[in-house]
Amino acid sequence: MSKISDRLNRLSYSQTFVMSNKARDMKAAGIDVISLTLGEPDFDVPQKIKQAAFDAINENYSHYSPVPGFLELRQAISAKLKRDNDLDYKPTQICVSNGAKQSIINVLLAIINDGDEVILPAPYWVSYDEMVKVVGGTSVFIETSIDTEFKITAEQLEKAITPKTKALLYSSPCNPSGSYYTREELEAIANVMAKHPDITIISDEIYEFINYGGEHVSIASFPQVYEQTAVINGMSKAFAMTGWRIGYSACPTWLASACDKVQGQMTSGANTVAQRASIAALQMDPSELQYMITEFEKRRDLVFELMKDIKGFKCNLPKSAFYFFPDISYYLGKTLNGTEIKNADDFAMFLLENAHVGCVGGVSFGSPECIRFSYAASEEELKEAMRRIKDCLDQF
Ligand code: PMP
Ligand code: GLU
């Protein structure tokens, strides 16, 4: 009998960390690997935010905070949601957590019973399906392809809903596809969901600011679904604060109280110094962060041009986030240097071992024909990575 619970045995390791650890181990062994695995901005935290953290330490913010976060931080989040998203949330509707990851699991723990279905448009972020498994739910996938920029339609959504559906969970801008839903597309989705008010929409908007010119719309801004939506966001991507571990949810009051209850038994309030620093971050004008977006966009354009020359890669131009998600079906079923490529994970491993470039296979994102590259890396690394992949694949 396994000492590990059935629940945990059902869970897979996060593929993003599996591949980044592999790349790190190879580097430690002296191999010159370029890792485009983990999605995290490579910028430093802006000075104002760091200063607020120093101040918080000096001002002795060293005790437990309220479970859902300091009131001042929840007020700053409330002001941000109004300023950027035209959303009205009172601080009592907001729960600050140890990253958006925890915000999502809080919501799932709060609403999912055994056997409940959660609709995941594929590709989805790796942790969604695994979190659904942990809480005893069943994921129902809606397939998409590169030809529709990996986006679902309202009709597809309508068909996927059953009497067991409890939630719809997606990210827009999307990790891994780099697509985002337009106002019209989201309105059509909202209209379908409004017919099912007992189904919760979990809208992960963590890449909100990393958008190259398009309008970011939160589905919660459609009044017909406000009462059934949980908005997820956080500090990791917009402010390059992945290690500071601050995320948040904004929900109808009943759901916010449930998140508070879950978190109060699991982890308590998030790190106090990081919370104080997050207040300073949220009070910055978004234009102060534009330099990161401008840089990401330059890198995206560079990689897009270089990827066009890579044999067997079918790629669209991602309009947001910092990922490329090329379709590599050309290589599936082939044997390269003695390695049989059954799916995109085999291909990602092949590239790591043969081109010394790390990426993440699409199987755990629900797209076994695609691979994900993060372009949150320097221009030199990106150029060299694409050169290595091209040279490696030109042989076949
Ligand atoms: N959602 C998506 C779509 C993500 O890509 C990430 C990446 N880490 C998260 C949530 C979790 O972010 P956090 O660092 O705030 O936990
Ligand atoms: N969200 C990032 C990614 O997808 C960080 C890793 C993780 O949290 O899984 O690479």
Side-chain angles (χ1 to χ4, degrees):
M1 193 181 69
S2 169
K3 286 187 180 174
I4 297 290
S5 68
D6 295 343
R7 179 179 300 109
L8 207 75
N9 275 332
R10 284 197 297 270
L11 193 70
S12 310
Y13 277 95
S14 170
Q15 200 58 25
T16 50
F17 288 114
V18 167
M19 289 307 284
S20 71
N21 290 343
K22 279 225 157 70
R24 192 177 297 158
D25 290 348
M26 284 172 71
K27 266 190 214 171
I31 302 169
D32 168 26
V33 169
I34 300 175
S35 181
L36 306 179
T37 53
L38 270 193
E40 64 171 337
D42 54 330
F43 295 99
D44 292 329
V45 173
Q47 193 55 37
K48 270 188 197 171
I49 304 175
K50 287 190 200 168
Q51 189 55 53
F54 293 136
D55 293 346
I57 293 172
N58 289 326
E59 288 162 18
N60 296 307
Y61 279 98
S62 44
H63 300 281
Y64 288 129
S65 77
V67 171
F70 287 121
L71 178 61
E72 295 92 322
L73 175 54
R74 285 179 289 134
Q75 282 166 337
I77 292 167
S78 171
K80 175 255 170 276
L81 291 168
K82 186 71 194 164
R83 179 192 67 193
D84 301 331
N85 314 108
D86 197 23
L87 291 173
D88 289 300
Y89 284 101
K90 297 197 253 326
T92 47
Q93 293 177 269
I94 292 164
C95 182
V96 176
S97 304
N98 297 286
K101 217 173 212 172
Q102 190 186 12
S103 303
I104 300 166
I105 192 77
N106 280 350
V107 171
L108 291 172
L109 278 165
I111 62 172
I112 301 300
N113 285 316
D114 284 347
D116 283 347
E117 292 177 355
V118 179
I119 296 178
L120 301 183
Y124 45 81
W125 180 44
V126 278
S127 296
Y128 293 166
D129 181 32
E130 300 301 325
M131 288 186 191
V132 170
K133 280 187 209 163
V134 161
V135 301
T138 305
S139 299
V140 171
F141 306 109
I142 304 180
E143 304 299 331
T144 66
S145 78
I146 199 163
D147 303 319
T148 53
E149 294 187 316
F150 302 102
K151 292 196 267 188
I152 60 162
T153 61
E155 292 70 36
Q156 282 178 296
L157 176 60
E158 185 108 55
K159 279 201 201 120
I161 293 173
T162 76
K164 285 188 173 171
T165 308
K166 201 66 183 285
L168 163 69
L169 169 54
Y170 68 93
S171 60
S172 176
C174 174
N175 175 4
S177 73
S179 298
Y180 68 89
Y181 286 93
T182 64
R183 179 175 291 279
E184 293 68 34
E185 289 162 346
L186 276 181
E187 186 169 22
I189 289 173
N191 288 339
V192 171
M193 297 307 290
K195 290 189 249 165
H196 306 274
D198 292 333
I199 304 178
T200 300
I201 306 170
I202 310 173
S203 169
D204 182 348
E205 302 177 22
I206 194 146
Y207 293 94
E208 160 182 20
F209 288 120
I210 306 171
N211 185 324
Y212 310 109
E215 177 194 23
H216 174 77
V217 180
S218 172
I219 196 163
S221 65
F222 296 101
Q224 62 271 41
V225 291
Y226 174 83
E227 283 298 335
Q228 67 188 94
T229 302
V231 175
I232 307 290
N233 209 326
M235 313 309 293
S236 284
K237 314 292 165 168
F239 302 96
M241 288 169 68
T242 45
W244 297 52
R245 310 307 304 130
I246 298 289
Y248 57 87
S249 57
C251 300
T253 309
W254 64 268
L255 186 49
S257 310
C259 291
D260 181 355
K261 183 174 171 184
V262 171
Q263 192 164 296
Q265 294 289 18
M266 303 271 172
T267 57
S268 310
N271 177 291
T272 51
V273 173
Q275 282 195 54
R276 300 305 303 182
S278 298
I279 299 173
L282 290 164
Q283 287 171 346
M284 285 170 75
D285 191 290
S287 65
E288 291 180 65
L289 304 158
Q290 187 55 41
Y291 66 97
M292 295 194 222
I293 318 302
T294 306
E295 187 57 35
F296 283 139
E297 188 173 9
K298 242 170 70 192
R299 296 172 187 180
R300 175 198 66 163
D301 293 344
L302 169 76
V303 173
F304 187 58
E305 284 310 310
L306 297 173
M307 242 180 217
K308 281 183 189 161
D309 291 336
I310 298 178
K311 187 165 134 193
F313 275 30
K314 184 173 169 190
C315 203
N316 63 335
L317 183 70
K319 300 192 172 105
S320 52
F322 38 62
Y323 304 105
F324 274 90
F325 201 55
D327 179 314
I328 51 85
S329 352
Y330 174 80
Y331 293 101
L332 301 184
K334 294 193 163 57
T335 298
L336 310 178
N337 273 357
T339 305
E340 193 193 344
I341 309 294
K342 293 185 291 300
N343 58 40
D345 288 5
D346 295 339
F347 188 69
M349 196 56 78
F350 171 83
L351 288 183
L352 180 61
E353 284 167 358
N354 292 271
H356 296 165
V357 176
C359 63
V360 187
V363 175
S364 49
F365 293 97
S367 292
E369 70 292 351
C370 295
I371 54 175
R372 189 193 78 172
F373 292 95
S374 159
Y375 55 90
S378 72
E379 255 184 45
E380 294 70 55
E381 282 180 303
L382 293 169
K383 276 189 201 155
E384 174 62 13
M386 293 306 124
R387 187 196 63 75
R388 287 183 191 183
I389 295 173
K390 180 173 163 28
D391 288 355
C392 173
L393 295 176
D394 274 350
Q395 307 166 48
F396 303 103

